[in-house]
């Protein structure tokens, strides 16, 4: 079995797991409800960037999974540029989730609280699967530098939504409470800029990782 075929099967398995973990998590939210830092039920789960980013990632994984299956049947099948771009955007989104949880929340809340129930998949396992798959397994085309900006768009959109729902409407007006504590001491702008920079940095690192591996594999 050649290296390319092995990588394709690894990609297939990784993306299948990402999709299944997302489905399992959604079923959990719509039945027993969330646990840990996301004790919500049904559509309330979608107010969390964690859930939204993993939904985006699962969509990208499902698309890539289809191409992986086709490639297992016909080795000449490749992953189109747009699918690789979407996978990059999804991976950046879930790695922002992973990074914020592990480096900002865990030091103050402890690890157990942040990985209870389905948060284990959404905060930890799925983001790491996406990272490894994008950098090591998915044999998509090399991406251009413009994708760094594109990958930050979901974070920017959510930041605007979060600001509106928390700072403009507020709980009293049918909005959200500041469940991410991004406006502690009124410094929401520091949080917004910091996370946007994080997203751009992650997008750049993932781009370099993917292009380096892709260049080696595609030239083999």
């Amino acid at each position: 079995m050649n290296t390319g075929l092995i990588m394709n099967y690894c990609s297939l398995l990784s993306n299948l797991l990402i999709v299944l973990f997302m489905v399992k998590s959604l079923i959990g939210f719509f039945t027993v409800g969330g646990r840990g830092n996301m004790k919500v039920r049904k559509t309330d789960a979608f107010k969390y960037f964690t859930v939204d980013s993993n939904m985006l990632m699962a969509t990208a994984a499902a698309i890539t999974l289809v191409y992986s299956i086709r490639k297992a049947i016909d080795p000449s099948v490749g992953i189109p540029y747009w699918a690789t771009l979407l996978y990059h955007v999804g991976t950046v989104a879930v790695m922002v989730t992973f990074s914020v949880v592990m480096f900002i929340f865990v030091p103050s809340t402890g690890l157990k609280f942040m990985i209870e129930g389905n948060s284990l998949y959404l905060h930890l396992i799925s983001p790491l699967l996406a990272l490894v798959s994008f950098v090591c397994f998915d044999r998509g085309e090399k991406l251009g530098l413009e994708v760094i900006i594109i990958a930050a768009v979901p974070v920017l959109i959510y930041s605007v939504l979060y600001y509106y729902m928390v700072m403009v409407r507020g709980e009293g007006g049918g909005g959200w409470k500041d469940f991410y504590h991004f406006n502690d001491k009124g410094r929401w702008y520091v949080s917004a800029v910091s996370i946007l920079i994080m997203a751009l940095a992650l997008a750049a690192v993932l781009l370099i990782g993917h292009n380096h591996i892709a260049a080696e594999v595609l030239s083999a």
Side-chain angles (χ1 to χ4, degrees):
M1 187 177 293
N2 61 45
T3 302
L5 192 57
I6 293 173
M7 291 176 68
N8 186 63
Y9 281 122
C10 288
S11 171
L12 194 157
L13 177 60
S14 298
N15 289 310
L16 177 61
L17 289 174
I18 290 171
V19 173
L20 291 177
F21 290 152
M22 187 70 251
V23 171
K24 179 183 183 301
S25 298
L26 287 177
I27 291 173
F29 281 120
F30 278 84
T31 53
V32 298
R35 294 171 57 189
N37 75 311
M38 292 191 291
K39 289 184 178 180
V40 293
R41 297 193 65 182
K42 299 184 177 180
T43 56
D44 280 346
F46 295 109
K47 69 183 180 182
Y48 290 100
F49 184 75
T50 291
V51 177
D52 298 337
S53 64
N54 275 273
M55 280 289 292
L56 176 60
M57 186 65 246
T59 300
I63 293 170
T64 303
L65 177 61
V66 171
Y67 283 100
S68 295
I69 294 172
R70 290 179 60 192
K71 191 172 187 64
I73 300 170
D74 179 3
S76 67
V77 172
I79 301 174
Y81 187 91
W82 65 267
T84 305
L85 170 59
L86 181 61
Y87 204 99
H88 178 252
V89 173
T91 304
V92 171
V94 291
M95 284 308 297
V96 167
T97 291
F98 172 87
S99 299
V100 169
V101 167
M102 294 301 160
F103 302 122
I104 297 179
F105 294 150
V106 166
S108 59
T109 66
L111 179 61
K112 183 178 182 296
F113 181 68
M114 298 305 298
I115 60 171
E116 284 189 71
N118 289 314
S119 290
L120 173 64
Y121 308 112
L122 304 181
H123 285 159
L124 181 62
I125 297 178
S126 288
L128 293 180
L129 278 173
L131 168 66
V132 173
S133 186
F134 182 69
V135 173
C136 299
F137 302 145
D138 295 327
R139 301 179 64 186
E141 297 182 42
K142 293 178 65 175
L143 299 174
L145 292 176
E146 72 279 357
V147 304
I148 294 175
I149 302 299
I150 296 172
V153 170
V155 173
L156 182 60
I157 292 173
Y158 184 83
S159 297
V160 173
L161 175 63
Y162 192 83
Y163 177 85
Y164 174 73
M165 295 300 287
V166 174
M167 266 69 81
V168 177
R169 292 187 63 175
E171 285 189 90
W176 304 338
K177 69 175 182 179
D178 186 16
F179 48 82
Y180 282 137
H181 302 287
F182 286 159
N183 194 38
D184 283 355
K185 300 180 181 179
R187 301 178 66 184
W188 61 267
Y189 50 90
V190 175
S191 299
V193 172
S194 298
I195 292 175
L196 184 58
I197 292 174
M198 177 190 294
L200 292 169
L202 285 168
V205 171
L206 287 168
L207 173 66
I208 293 170
H210 171 78
N211 282 355
H212 176 69
I213 299 298
E216 290 186 358
V217 173
L218 291 175
S219 62

